[in-house]
Coordinates of all heavy atoms in Angstrom, one line a residue:
M674 N 229.0 -100.3 -15.7 CA 228.4 -101.2 -16.6 C 228.0 -100.4 -17.8 O 227.3 -99.4 -17.7 CB 227.2 -101.9 -16.0 CG 226.6 -102.9 -16.9 SD 225.3 -103.7 -15.8 CE 224.6 -104.8 -17.0
N675 N 228.4 -100.9 -19.0 CA 228.1 -100.2 -20.3 C 227.1 -100.9 -21.1 O 227.3 -102.1 -21.5 CB 229.4 -100.0 -21.0 CG 229.2 -99.1 -22.2 OD1 228.2 -98.5 -22.4 ND2 230.3 -99.0 -23.0
I676 N 225.9 -100.3 -21.3 CA 224.9 -101.0 -22.1 C 224.8 -100.3 -23.4 O 224.7 -99.1 -23.5 CB 223.5 -100.8 -21.4 CG1 223.5 -101.5 -20.0 CG2 222.4 -101.4 -22.3 CD1 222.3 -101.4 -19.3
S677 N 225.0 -101.1 -24.5 CA 225.0 -100.5 -25.8 C 223.5 -100.1 -26.3 O 222.6 -100.8 -25.8 CB 225.6 -101.5 -26.9 OG 224.8 -102.6 -26.9
N678 N 223.5 -99.2 -27.1 CA 222.2 -98.7 -27.6 C 221.6 -99.7 -28.5 O 222.3 -100.3 -29.3 CB 222.4 -97.3 -28.3 CG 221.1 -96.6 -28.6 OD1 220.1 -97.1 -28.3 ND2 221.3 -95.4 -29.1
I679 N 220.3 -99.9 -28.5 CA 219.6 -100.9 -29.4 C 219.7 -100.5 -30.9 O 219.5 -101.3 -31.7 CB 218.2 -101.1 -28.9 CG1 217.6 -102.4 -29.5 CG2 217.3 -99.9 -29.4 CD1 216.4 -102.9 -28.9
T680 N 219.9 -99.3 -31.1 CA 220.0 -98.8 -32.5 C 221.4 -98.8 -33.0 O 221.9 -97.9 -33.7 CB 219.3 -97.4 -32.7 OG1 220.0 -96.5 -31.8 CG2 217.9 -97.5 -32.4
S681 N 222.2 -99.7 -32.5 CA 223.6 -99.8 -32.9 C 223.7 -100.0 -34.4 O 222.8 -100.5 -35.1 CB 224.3 -100.8 -32.1 OG 223.9 -102.1 -32.5
K682 N 224.9 -99.8 -34.9 CA 225.1 -99.9 -36.4 C 224.9 -101.3 -36.8 O 224.3 -101.5 -37.9 CB 226.5 -99.4 -36.7 CG 226.8 -99.4 -38.2 CD 228.1 -98.7 -38.5 CE 228.4 -98.7 -39.9 NZ 227.6 -97.9 -40.8
A683 N 225.3 -102.3 -36.1 CA 225.2 -103.7 -36.5 C 223.7 -104.1 -36.6 O 223.3 -104.8 -37.6 CB 225.9 -104.6 -35.5
F684 N 222.9 -103.7 -35.7 CA 221.5 -104.0 -35.7 C 220.8 -103.4 -36.8 O 220.1 -104.0 -37.5 CB 220.9 -103.6 -34.3 CG 219.4 -103.9 -34.2 CD1 219.0 -105.2 -34.0 CD2 218.5 -103.0 -34.3 CE1 217.7 -105.6 -33.9 CE2 217.1 -103.3 -34.2 CZ 216.7 -104.6 -34.0
T685 N 221.1 -102.1 -37.0 CA 220.5 -101.3 -38.1 C 220.9 -101.9 -39.5 O 220.1 -102.0 -40.4 CB 220.9 -99.8 -38.0 OG1 220.6 -99.4 -36.7 CG2 220.1 -99.0 -39.0
T686 N 222.2 -102.3 -39.6 CA 222.6 -102.8 -40.9 C 222.0 -104.1 -41.2 O 221.6 -104.4 -42.3 CB 224.2 -103.0 -40.8 OG1 224.8 -101.8 -40.5 CG2 224.7 -103.5 -42.1
G687 N 221.7 -105.0 -40.2 CA 221.0 -106.3 -40.3 C 219.6 -106.1 -40.8 O 219.1 -106.8 -41.7
I688 N 218.9 -105.1 -40.2 CA 217.5 -104.8 -40.7 C 217.5 -104.3 -42.1 O 216.7 -104.7 -42.9 CB 216.9 -103.8 -39.7 CG1 216.6 -104.5 -38.4 CG2 215.6 -103.3 -40.3 CD1 216.1 -103.6 -37.3
E689 N 218.4 -103.4 -42.4 CA 218.5 -102.8 -43.7 C 218.8 -103.9 -44.8 O 218.2 -103.9 -45.8 CB 219.6 -101.7 -43.8 CG 219.2 -100.5 -43.1 CD 220.3 -99.5 -43.0 OE1 221.5 -99.8 -43.5 OE2 220.1 -98.4 -42.6
Q690 N 219.7 -104.8 -44.4 CA 220.0 -105.9 -45.3 C 218.8 -106.8 -45.5 O 218.5 -107.2 -46.7 CB 221.2 -106.8 -44.8 CG 221.6 -107.9 -45.7 CD 222.2 -107.4 -47.0 OE1 222.8 -106.3 -47.0 NE2 222.0 -108.1 -48.0
A691 N 218.0 -107.1 -44.5 CA 216.8 -108.0 -44.6 C 215.8 -107.3 -45.5 O 215.1 -107.9 -46.3 CB 216.2 -108.3 -43.2
V692 N 215.6 -106.0 -45.3 CA 214.6 -105.2 -46.1 C 215.0 -105.2 -47.5 O 214.2 -105.4 -48.5 CB 214.4 -103.8 -45.5 CG1 213.6 -102.9 -46.5 CG2 213.7 -103.8 -44.2
T693 N 216.3 -105.0 -47.8 CA 216.8 -105.0 -49.2 C 216.6 -106.4 -49.8 O 216.2 -106.5 -51.0 CB 218.3 -104.6 -49.2 OG1 218.5 -103.4 -48.5 CG2 218.9 -104.6 -50.6
D694 N 216.9 -107.5 -49.1 CA 216.8 -108.8 -49.6 C 215.3 -109.1 -50.0 O 215.0 -109.7 -51.0 CB 217.3 -109.9 -48.7 CG 218.8 -109.8 -48.5 OD1 219.5 -109.2 -49.3 OD2 219.3 -110.4 -47.5
K695 N 214.4 -108.6 -49.1 CA 213.0 -108.9 -49.3 C 212.5 -108.1 -50.5 O 211.7 -108.6 -51.3 CB 212.2 -108.5 -48.1 CG 210.7 -108.9 -48.2 CD 210.0 -108.6 -46.9 CE 208.5 -109.0 -47.0 NZ 207.8 -108.8 -45.8
S696 N 212.9 -106.8 -50.6 CA 212.4 -106.0 -51.8 C 213.0 -106.6 -53.1 O 212.4 -106.5 -54.1 CB 212.8 -104.6 -51.6 OG 214.2 -104.4 -51.6
A697 N 214.2 -107.1 -53.0 CA 214.8 -107.7 -54.2 C 214.0 -109.0 -54.7 O 213.8 -109.2 -55.8 CB 216.3 -108.1 -54.0
A698 N 213.6 -109.8 -53.7 CA 212.8 -111.0 -54.0 C 211.5 -110.6 -54.6 O 211.0 -111.2 -55.5 CB 212.6 -111.8 -52.7
N699 N 210.8 -109.5 -54.0 CA 209.6 -109.1 -54.5 C 209.7 -108.5 -56.0 O 208.8 -108.8 -56.8 CB 209.0 -108.0 -53.6 CG 208.4 -108.6 -52.3 OD1 208.1 -109.7 -52.3 ND2 208.3 -107.7 -51.3
S700 N 210.8 -107.8 -56.2 CA 210.9 -107.3 -57.6 C 211.2 -108.4 -58.6 O 210.8 -108.3 -59.7 CB 212.0 -106.2 -57.6 OG 213.3 -106.8 -57.3
E701 N 211.9 -109.5 -58.1 CA 212.2 -110.6 -59.0 C 210.9 -111.3 -59.3 O 210.6 -111.7 -60.5 CB 213.1 -111.6 -58.3 CG 213.5 -112.7 -59.2 CD 214.5 -113.6 -58.5 OE1 215.5 -113.1 -57.9 OE2 214.4 -114.8 -58.6
K702 N 210.0 -111.5 -58.3 CA 208.7 -112.1 -58.6 C 207.9 -111.2 -59.6 O 207.2 -111.7 -60.5 CB 207.9 -112.2 -57.3 CG 208.4 -113.3 -56.4 CD 207.6 -113.4 -55.1 CE 208.1 -114.4 -54.2 NZ 207.4 -114.4 -52.9
E703 N 207.9 -109.9 -59.4 CA 207.1 -109.0 -60.3 C 207.7 -109.1 -61.7 O 207.0 -109.1 -62.6 CB 207.2 -107.6 -59.7 CG 206.3 -107.4 -58.5 CD 206.5 -106.0 -57.9 OE1 207.2 -105.2 -58.4 OE2 205.9 -105.8 -56.8
S704 N 209.0 -109.1 -61.8 CA 209.6 -109.1 -63.1 C 209.3 -110.4 -63.8 O 209.1 -110.4 -65.0 CB 211.1 -108.9 -63.0 OG 211.8 -110.0 -62.4
S705 N 209.3 -111.6 -63.1 CA 208.9 -112.8 -63.8 C 207.5 -112.8 -64.2 O 207.1 -113.3 -65.3 CB 209.2 -114.0 -62.9 OG 208.4 -114.0 -61.8
G706 N 206.6 -112.2 -63.4 CA 205.2 -112.1 -63.8 C 205.0 -111.2 -64.9 O 204.2 -111.5 -65.8
V707 N 205.7 -110.1 -64.9 CA 205.6 -109.2 -66.0 C 206.2 -109.8 -67.3 O 205.6 -109.7 -68.4 CB 206.4 -107.9 -65.7 CG1 206.6 -107.0 -66.9 CG2 205.7 -107.1 -64.6
S708 N 207.3 -110.6 -67.2 CA 207.8 -111.1 -68.4 C 206.9 -112.2 -69.0 O 206.8 -112.3 -70.2 CB 209.2 -111.7 -68.1 OG 209.1 -112.8 -67.2
F709 N 206.2 -113.0 -68.2 CA 205.3 -114.0 -68.7 C 204.1 -113.3 -69.3 O 203.6 -113.7 -70.4 CB 204.8 -114.9 -67.5 CG 203.9 -116.0 -68.0 CD1 204.4 -117.1 -68.7 CD2 202.6 -116.0 -67.7 CE1 203.6 -118.1 -69.2 CE2 201.8 -117.1 -68.1 CZ 202.3 -118.1 -68.9
N710 N 203.6 -112.2 -68.7 CA 202.5 -111.4 -69.3 C 203.0 -110.8 -70.6 O 202.2 -110.8 -71.6 CB 202.1 -110.4 -68.3 CG 200.8 -109.7 -68.7 OD1 200.0 -110.3 -69.5 ND2 200.6 -108.5 -68.3
D711 N 204.2 -110.3 -70.7 CA 204.7 -109.7 -71.9 C 204.8 -110.8 -73.0 O 204.5 -110.5 -74.2 CB 206.1 -109.1 -71.7 CG 206.0 -107.8 -70.9 OD1 204.9 -107.2 -70.8 OD2 207.0 -107.4 -70.4
M712 N 205.2 -112.0 -72.6 CA 205.3 -113.1 -73.6 C 204.0 -113.4 -74.2 O 203.8 -113.6 -75.4 CB 205.9 -114.3 -72.9 CG 206.2 -115.5 -73.9 SD 206.5 -117.0 -73.2 CE 204.9 -117.4 -72.5
L713 N 202.9 -113.5 -73.3 CA 201.6 -113.8 -73.8 C 201.1 -112.6 -74.8 O 200.5 -112.9 -75.8 CB 200.6 -114.0 -72.7 CG 200.8 -115.3 -71.9 CD1 199.9 -115.3 -70.7 CD2 200.7 -116.5 -72.8
N714 N 201.4 -111.4 -74.4 CA 201.0 -110.3 -75.3 C 201.8 -110.3 -76.6 O 201.2 -110.1 -77.7 CB 201.3 -108.9 -74.6 CG 200.3 -108.7 -73.4 OD1 199.2 -109.2 -73.4 ND2 200.8 -107.9 -72.5
D715 N 203.0 -110.7 -76.6 CA 203.8 -110.8 -77.8 C 203.2 -112.0 -78.7 O 203.2 -111.8 -79.9 CB 205.3 -111.1 -77.5 CG 206.0 -109.9 -76.9 OD1 205.4 -108.8 -77.1 OD2 207.1 -110.1 -76.4
L716 N 202.8 -113.0 -78.0 CA 202.2 -114.2 -78.8 C 200.9 -113.7 -79.4 O 200.7 -114.0 -80.6 CB 201.9 -115.3 -77.8 CG 201.2 -116.5 -78.4 CD1 202.0 -117.2 -79.5 CD2 200.9 -117.5 -77.3
S717 N 200.1 -112.9 -78.7 CA 198.9 -112.4 -79.3 C 199.1 -111.5 -80.5 O 198.5 -111.6 -81.5 CB 198.1 -111.7 -78.2 OG 196.9 -111.2 -78.8
E718 N 200.1 -110.6 -80.3 CA 200.5 -109.7 -81.4 C 201.0 -110.5 -82.6 O 200.7 -110.1 -83.8 CB 201.5 -108.7 -80.9 CG 200.9 -107.7 -80.0 CD 202.0 -106.8 -79.4 OE1 203.1 -106.8 -79.8 OE2 201.6 -106.0 -78.4
S719 N 201.8 -111.5 -82.4 CA 202.4 -112.3 -83.4 C 201.2 -113.0 -84.2 O 201.3 -113.1 -85.4 CB 203.3 -113.3 -82.9 OG 203.8 -114.2 -83.8
Q720 N 200.3 -113.5 -83.5 CA 199.1 -114.2 -84.1 C 198.3 -113.2 -85.0 O 197.9 -113.6 -86.1 CB 198.2 -114.8 -83.0 CG 197.0 -115.6 -83.6 CD 197.4 -116.8 -84.4 OE1 198.3 -117.5 -84.0 NE2 196.8 -117.0 -85.6
I721 N 198.1 -112.0 -84.5 CA 197.3 -111.0 -85.2 C 198.1 -110.6 -86.5 O 197.5 -110.5 -87.6 CB 197.0 -109.8 -84.3 CG1 196.0 -110.2 -83.2 CG2 196.5 -108.6 -85.2 CD1 195.9 -109.1 -82.1
S722 N 199.4 -110.4 -86.4 CA 200.2 -110.1 -87.5 C 200.2 -111.2 -88.6 O 200.1 -110.9 -89.8 CB 201.6 -109.8 -87.0 OG 202.5 -109.6 -88.1
T723 N 200.3 -112.4 -88.1 CA 200.3 -113.5 -89.1 C 199.0 -113.7 -89.7 O 198.9 -113.9 -90.9 CB 200.7 -114.8 -88.3 OG1 201.9 -114.7 -87.7 CG2 200.6 -116.0 -89.3
D724 N 197.9 -113.5 -89.0 CA 196.5 -113.5 -89.5 C 196.4 -112.4 -90.6 O 195.8 -112.7 -91.7 CB 195.5 -113.4 -88.5 CG 195.3 -114.6 -87.6 OD1 195.8 -115.7 -88.0 OD2 194.7 -114.5 -86.5
N725 N 196.9 -111.2 -90.3 CA 196.8 -110.2 -91.3 C 197.5 -110.5 -92.6 O 197.1 -110.2 -93.7 CB 197.3 -108.9 -90.7 CG 196.4 -108.3 -89.7 OD1 195.2 -108.6 -89.7 ND2 196.9 -107.4 -88.8
L726 N 198.7 -111.1 -92.5 CA 199.5 -111.4 -93.6 C 198.8 -112.5 -94.4 O 198.8 -112.5 -95.7 CB 200.9 -111.9 -93.2 CG 201.9 -110.9 -92.8 CD1 203.2 -111.5 -92.3 CD2 202.2 -110.0 -94.0
I727 N 198.2 -113.5 -93.8 CA 197.5 -114.6 -94.5 C 196.3 -114.0 -95.2 O 196.0 -114.4 -96.3 CB 197.1 -115.7 -93.5 CG1 198.4 -116.4 -93.0 CG2 196.1 -116.7 -94.1 CD1 198.2 -117.4 -91.9
Q728 N 195.6 -113.1 -94.5 CA 194.4 -112.5 -95.2 C 194.8 -111.7 -96.4 O 194.1 -111.7 -97.5 CB 193.7 -111.6 -94.2 CG 192.9 -112.4 -93.2 CD 192.2 -111.4 -92.2 OE1 192.4 -110.2 -92.2 NE2 191.5 -112.0 -91.2
Q729 N 195.9 -111.0 -96.3 CA 196.4 -110.2 -97.5 C 196.8 -111.1 -98.6 O 196.5 -110.9 -99.8 CB 197.7 -109.4 -97.1 CG 197.3 -108.2 -96.2 CD 198.6 -107.5 -95.7 OE1 199.7 -107.9 -96.0 NE2 198.4 -106.4 -94.9
L730 N 197.4 -112.3 -98.3 CA 197.8 -113.2 -99.3 C 196.6 -113.8 -99.9 O 196.5 -114.0 -101.2 CB 198.7 -114.3 -98.7 CG 199.2 -115.4 -99.6 CD1 200.2 -114.8 -100.6 CD2 199.8 -116.6 -98.8
A731 N 195.6 -114.2 -99.1 CA 194.3 -114.8 -99.6 C 193.6 -113.8 -100.5 O 192.9 -114.2 -101.5 CB 193.5 -115.2 -98.5
A732 N 193.7 -112.5 -100.2 CA 193.0 -111.4 -101.0 C 193.7 -111.1 -102.3 O 193.2 -110.3 -103.1 CB 192.8 -110.2 -100.2
G733 N 194.9 -111.7 -102.5 CA 195.6 -111.5 -103.7 C 196.5 -110.3 -103.7 O 197.0 -109.8 -104.8
E734 N 196.7 -109.7 -102.5 CA 197.6 -108.5 -102.4 C 199.0 -108.9 -102.6 O 199.4 -110.1 -102.6 CB 197.4 -107.8 -101.1 CG 196.0 -107.2 -100.9 CD 195.8 -106.6 -99.6 OE1 196.8 -106.3 -98.9 OE2 194.7 -106.4 -99.2
D735 N 199.9 -108.0 -102.9 CA 201.3 -108.2 -103.1 C 202.0 -108.4 -101.8 O 202.5 -107.5 -101.2 CB 201.9 -107.0 -103.9 CG 203.4 -107.3 -104.3 OD1 203.7 -108.5 -104.5 OD2 204.2 -106.4 -104.4
V736 N 202.1 -109.7 -101.4 CA 202.7 -110.1 -100.1 C 203.7 -111.2 -100.5 O 203.4 -112.2 -101.2 CB 201.7 -110.6 -99.1 CG1 202.4 -111.0 -97.8 CG2 200.7 -109.5 -98.8
D737 N 204.9 -111.1 -99.9 CA 205.9 -112.2 -100.2 C 205.5 -113.4 -99.4 O 205.3 -113.4 -98.2 CB 207.3 -111.7 -99.7 CG 208.4 -112.6 -100.2 OD1 208.2 -113.5 -101.0 OD2 209.5 -112.4 -99.6
I738 N 205.4 -114.5 -100.2 CA 205.0 -115.8 -99.6 C 206.0 -116.2 -98.5 O 205.6 -116.9 -97.5 CB 204.8 -116.9 -100.6 CG1 204.2 -118.2 -100.0 CG2 206.1 -117.2 -101.3 CD1 202.8 -118.1 -99.7
H739 N 207.3 -115.9 -98.7 CA 208.3 -116.2 -97.7 C 208.0 -115.5 -96.3 O 208.2 -116.2 -95.3 CB 209.7 -115.9 -98.2 CG 210.0 -116.6 -99.5 ND1 210.2 -118.0 -99.5 CD2 210.2 -116.2 -100.7 CE1 210.5 -118.4 -100.7 NE2 210.5 -117.3 -101.5
Q740 N 207.6 -114.3 -96.4 CA 207.3 -113.6 -95.2 C 206.1 -114.2 -94.4 O 206.1 -114.3 -93.2 CB 207.0 -112.1 -95.5 CG 208.2 -111.3 -95.9 CD 207.8 -109.8 -96.2 OE1 206.6 -109.6 -96.5 NE2 208.8 -109.0 -96.1
V741 N 205.1 -114.6 -95.2 CA 203.9 -115.2 -94.6 C 204.3 -116.5 -93.9 O 203.9 -116.8 -92.8 CB 202.8 -115.5 -95.7 CG1 201.7 -116.2 -95.1 CG2 202.4 -114.2 -96.3
M742 N 205.1 -117.4 -94.6 CA 205.5 -118.6 -94.0 C 206.4 -118.5 -92.8 O 206.3 -119.2 -91.8 CB 206.2 -119.5 -95.1 CG 205.3 -120.0 -96.2 SD 203.8 -120.9 -95.6 CE 204.6 -122.3 -94.8
I743 N 207.3 -117.5 -92.9 CA 208.2 -117.3 -91.7 C 207.4 -116.8 -90.5 O 207.6 -117.2 -89.4 CB 209.3 -116.3 -92.1 CG1 210.3 -116.9 -93.1 CG2 210.0 -115.8 -90.9 CD1 211.3 -116.0 -93.7
A744 N 206.4 -115.9 -90.8 CA 205.6 -115.4 -89.7 C 204.7 -116.5 -89.1 O 204.6 -116.5 -87.9 CB 204.7 -114.2 -90.2
A745 N 204.2 -117.3 -89.9 CA 203.4 -118.5 -89.4 C 204.2 -119.4 -88.6 O 203.8 -119.9 -87.5 CB 202.8 -119.2 -90.6
E746 N 205.4 -119.7 -89.0 CA 206.3 -120.6 -88.2 C 206.7 -120.0 -86.9 O 206.8 -120.6 -85.9 CB 207.5 -121.0 -89.1 CG 207.2 -122.0 -90.2 CD 206.6 -123.3 -89.6 OE1 207.2 -123.8 -88.6 OE2 205.6 -123.7 -90.2
Q747 N 207.0 -118.7 -86.9 CA 207.4 -118.0 -85.7 C 206.3 -118.0 -84.7 O 206.5 -118.3 -83.5 CB 207.8 -116.5 -86.0 CG 209.2 -116.4 -86.6 CD 209.6 -115.0 -87.0 OE1 208.7 -114.1 -87.1 NE2 210.8 -114.8 -87.2
T748 N 205.1 -117.8 -85.2 CA 203.9 -117.8 -84.3 C 203.7 -119.2 -83.8 O 203.4 -119.4 -82.6 CB 202.6 -117.4 -85.1 OG1 202.9 -116.0 -85.5 CG2 201.4 -117.4 -84.2
D749 N 203.9 -120.2 -84.6 CA 203.7 -121.6 -84.2 C 204.7 -122.0 -83.1 O 204.4 -122.6 -82.1 CB 203.9 -122.6 -85.4 CG 203.7 -124.0 -85.0 OD1 202.6 -124.3 -84.3 OD2 204.5 -124.9 -85.3
I750 N 206.0 -121.6 -83.3 CA 207.0 -121.8 -82.3 C 206.7 -121.1 -81.0 O 206.8 -121.7 -79.9 CB 208.4 -121.4 -82.8 CG1 208.8 -122.4 -83.9 CG2 209.4 -121.4 -81.7 CD1 210.0 -122.0 -84.7
N751 N 206.3 -119.8 -81.1 CA 205.9 -119.1 -79.9 C 204.8 -119.8 -79.1 O 204.7 -119.8 -77.9 CB 205.5 -117.6 -80.2 CG 206.7 -116.8 -80.6 OD1 207.9 -117.2 -80.3 ND2 206.5 -115.7 -81.3
F752 N 203.8 -120.3 -79.9 CA 202.7 -120.9 -79.3 C 203.1 -122.2 -78.6 O 202.6 -122.5 -77.5 CB 201.6 -121.2 -80.3 CG 200.3 -121.8 -79.8 CD1 199.5 -121.0 -79.1 CD2 200.0 -123.1 -80.0 CE1 198.3 -121.4 -78.5 CE2 198.8 -123.6 -79.5 CZ 197.9 -122.8 -78.7
Q753 N 204.0 -123.0 -79.2 CA 204.5 -124.2 -78.6 C 205.2 -123.9 -77.3 O 205.1 -124.7 -76.3 CB 205.4 -125.0 -79.6 CG 204.6 -125.6 -80.7 CD 205.6 -126.2 -81.7 OE1 206.8 -126.3 -81.5 NE2 205.0 -126.7 -82.8
I754 N 206.0 -122.8 -77.3 CA 206.7 -122.4 -76.1 C 205.7 -122.1 -75.0 O 205.9 -122.5 -73.8 CB 207.7 -121.3 -76.4 CG1 208.8 -121.8 -77.2 CG2 208.2 -120.7 -75.1 CD1 209.7 -120.7 -77.8
A755 N 204.7 -121.3 -75.3 CA 203.7 -120.9 -74.3 C 203.0 -122.2 -73.8 O 202.7 -122.3 -72.6 CB 202.7 -120.0 -74.9
L756 N 202.7 -123.2 -74.6 CA 202.1 -124.4 -74.2 C 203.0 -125.2 -73.2 O 202.5 -125.7 -72.2 CB 201.6 -125.3 -75.3 CG 200.4 -124.8 -76.1 CD1 200.2 -125.8 -77.3 CD2 199.2 -124.8 -75.2
A757 N 204.3 -125.2 -73.6 CA 205.2 -125.9 -72.7 C 205.3 -125.2 -71.3 O 205.4 -125.9 -70.3 CB 206.6 -125.9 -73.4
I758 N 205.3 -123.9 -71.3 CA 205.4 -123.2 -70.0 C 204.1 -123.5 -69.2 O 204.1 -123.7 -68.0 CB 205.6 -121.7 -70.2 CG1 207.0 -121.5 -70.8 CG2 205.4 -120.9 -69.0 CD1 207.3 -120.0 -71.2
R759 N 203.0 -123.4 -69.9 CA 201.7 -123.7 -69.2 C 201.7 -125.1 -68.7 O 201.3 -125.4 -67.5 CB 200.5 -123.6 -70.2 CG 199.2 -123.8 -69.5 CD 198.1 -124.5 -70.4 NE 198.6 -125.7 -71.0 CZ 197.9 -126.4 -71.8 NH1 196.7 -126.0 -72.2 NH2 198.4 -127.5 -72.4
D760 N 202.2 -126.1 -69.4 CA 202.3 -127.5 -68.9 C 203.1 -127.6 -67.7 O 202.8 -128.3 -66.8 CB 202.8 -128.4 -70.0 CG 201.8 -128.6 -71.2 OD1 200.6 -128.2 -71.0 OD2 202.2 -129.0 -72.3
K761 N 204.3 -126.9 -67.7 CA 205.2 -126.9 -66.5 C 204.5 -126.3 -65.3 O 204.7 -126.8 -64.2 CB 206.5 -126.2 -66.9 CG 207.4 -127.0 -67.8 CD 207.9 -128.3 -67.1 CE 208.8 -129.0 -68.0 NZ 209.3 -130.2 -67.4
L762 N 203.8 -125.2 -65.5 CA 203.1 -124.6 -64.4 C 202.0 -125.5 -63.8 O 201.9 -125.6 -62.6 CB 202.4 -123.3 -64.9 CG 203.4 -122.1 -65.1 CD1 202.7 -120.9 -65.8 CD2 204.1 -121.7 -63.9
V763 N 201.3 -126.2 -64.7 CA 200.2 -127.1 -64.2 C 200.9 -128.3 -63.5 O 200.4 -128.7 -62.4 CB 199.4 -127.6 -65.4 CG1 198.5 -128.8 -65.0 CG2 198.5 -126.5 -66.0
E764 N 202.0 -128.8 -64.0 CA 202.7 -129.9 -63.4 C 203.2 -129.5 -62.0 O 203.1 -130.2 -61.1 CB 203.8 -130.3 -64.3 CG 204.6 -131.5 -63.8 CD 205.8 -131.8 -64.7 OE1 205.6 -131.7 -66.0 OE2 206.8 -132.2 -64.2
S765 N 203.7 -128.3 -61.9 CA 204.2 -127.7 -60.6 C 203.1 -127.6 -59.6 O 203.2 -128.0 -58.5 CB 204.9 -126.4 -60.8 OG 206.0 -126.5 -61.7
Y766 N 202.0 -127.1 -60.1 CA 200.8 -126.9 -59.2 C 200.3 -128.3 -58.7 O 200.0 -128.5 -57.5 CB 199.7 -126.2 -60.0 CG 198.4 -126.2 -59.2 CD1 198.2 -125.2 -58.2 CD2 197.3 -127.0 -59.5 CE1 197.0 -125.2 -57.4 CE2 196.1 -127.0 -58.8 CZ 196.0 -126.1 -57.7 OH 194.8 -126.0 -57.0
Q767 N 200.3 -129.3 -59.6 CA 199.8 -130.6 -59.2 C 200.8 -131.2 -58.2 O 200.4 -131.9 -57.3 CB 199.7 -131.5 -60.4 CG 198.5 -131.1 -61.3 CD 198.4 -131.9 -62.6 OE1 199.4 -132.5 -63.0 NE2 197.3 -131.9 -63.2
E768 N 202.1 -131.0 -58.4 CA 203.1 -131.5 -57.5 C 202.9 -130.9 -56.1 O 203.0 -131.6 -55.1 CB 204.5 -131.3 -58.0 CG 205.6 -131.9 -57.2 CD 205.6 -133.4 -57.3 OE1 205.1 -134.0 -58.3 OE2 206.1 -134.0 -56.3
I769 N 202.7 -129.6 -56.1 CA 202.5 -128.9 -54.8 C 201.2 -129.4 -54.1 O 201.2 -129.6 -52.9 CB 202.4 -127.4 -55.0 CG1 203.8 -126.8 -55.4 CG2 201.9 -126.7 -53.8 CD1 203.8 -125.4 -55.8
M770 N 200.2 -129.7 -54.9 CA 198.9 -130.2 -54.3 C 199.1 -131.6 -53.7 O 198.4 -132.0 -52.8 CB 197.8 -130.1 -55.3 CG 197.4 -128.7 -55.7 SD 197.0 -127.6 -54.3 CE 195.6 -128.3 -53.7
R771 N 200.0 -132.4 -54.3 CA 200.3 -133.7 -53.8 C 201.1 -133.8 -52.5 O 201.2 -134.8 -51.8 CB 201.0 -134.5 -54.8 CG 200.1 -135.1 -55.9 CD 200.9 -136.0 -56.8 NE 200.7 -135.5 -58.1 CZ 201.7 -135.3 -59.0 NH1 202.9 -135.7 -58.7 NH2 201.4 -134.8 -60.2
M772 N 201.7 -132.6 -52.1 CA 202.5 -132.6 -50.9 C 201.7 -132.7 -49.7 O 200.6 -132.2 -49.6 CB 203.3 -131.3 -50.8 CG 204.4 -131.1 -51.8 SD 205.2 -129.6 -51.5 CE 206.5 -129.7 -52.7
N773 N 202.2 -133.5 -48.7 CA 201.6 -133.7 -47.4 C 202.0 -132.5 -46.5 O 203.2 -132.2 -46.4 CB 201.9 -135.0 -46.8 CG 201.3 -136.1 -47.5 OD1 200.3 -136.0 -48.1 ND2 202.0 -137.3 -47.4
V774 N 201.0 -131.9 -45.9 CA 201.4 -130.8 -45.0 C 201.2 -131.1 -43.6 O 200.3 -131.9 -43.2 CB 200.5 -129.5 -45.4 CG1 200.8 -128.4 -44.5 CG2 200.7 -129.1 -46.8

């Protein structure tokens, strides 16, 4: 009677595949969290930059009005995107809370 070893190649390969899949899922979660955090940081930097341009324009410094308007519109669009993402997250949370367990 031949009993195969428990550390056979098929068993080890299955475990390695499961560990690889789990680490890939964790890194995907971390990357999405990092990207959302980066987006919020970019939004904040964009707002600060736009505020600085508006202050320079109000102080009478030599600032191109087109640059100020473009920066303000870019910040507005970024803010609208952030609000839409927030709304989707809240909606998803509310949907999960409505689920019967």
Side-chain angles (χ1 to χ4, degrees):
M674 182 172 179
N675 188 5
I676 299 176
S677 64
N678 193 357
I679 197 164
T680 59
S681 69
K682 183 168 177 73
F684 182 75
T685 308
T686 304
I688 291 175
E689 289 172 355
Q690 183 65 32
V692 169
T693 303
D694 291 344
K695 187 175 180 179
S696 65
N699 286 340
S700 67
E701 184 176 316
K702 287 178 185 177
E703 290 174 3
S704 68
S705 65
V707 169
S708 65
F709 186 69
N710 191 25
D711 288 343
M712 185 193 72
L713 290 177
N714 288 336
D715 290 343
L716 175 63
S717 178
E718 290 174 8
S719 174
Q720 181 65 43
I721 291 169
S722 174
T723 301
D724 287 345
N725 288 338
L726 284 173
I727 291 172
Q728 287 177 357
Q729 289 175 358
L730 181 67
E734 295 180 18
D735 187 27
V736 179
D737 189 13
I738 187 75
H739 300 293
Q740 288 178 340
V741 175
M742 292 304 297
I743 290 171
E746 286 300 314
Q747 286 176 342
T748 300
D749 183 50
I750 290 170
N751 289 339
F752 187 71
Q753 289 176 6
I754 291 170
L756 285 179
I758 291 172
R759 183 213 52 182
D760 292 343
K761 287 293 183 181
L762 288 173
V763 169
E764 182 181 324
S765 299
Y766 174 77
Q767 290 173 344
E768 186 69 27
I769 289 171
M770 294 307 292
R771 278 187 239 133
M772 288 182 178
N773 291 332
V774 180

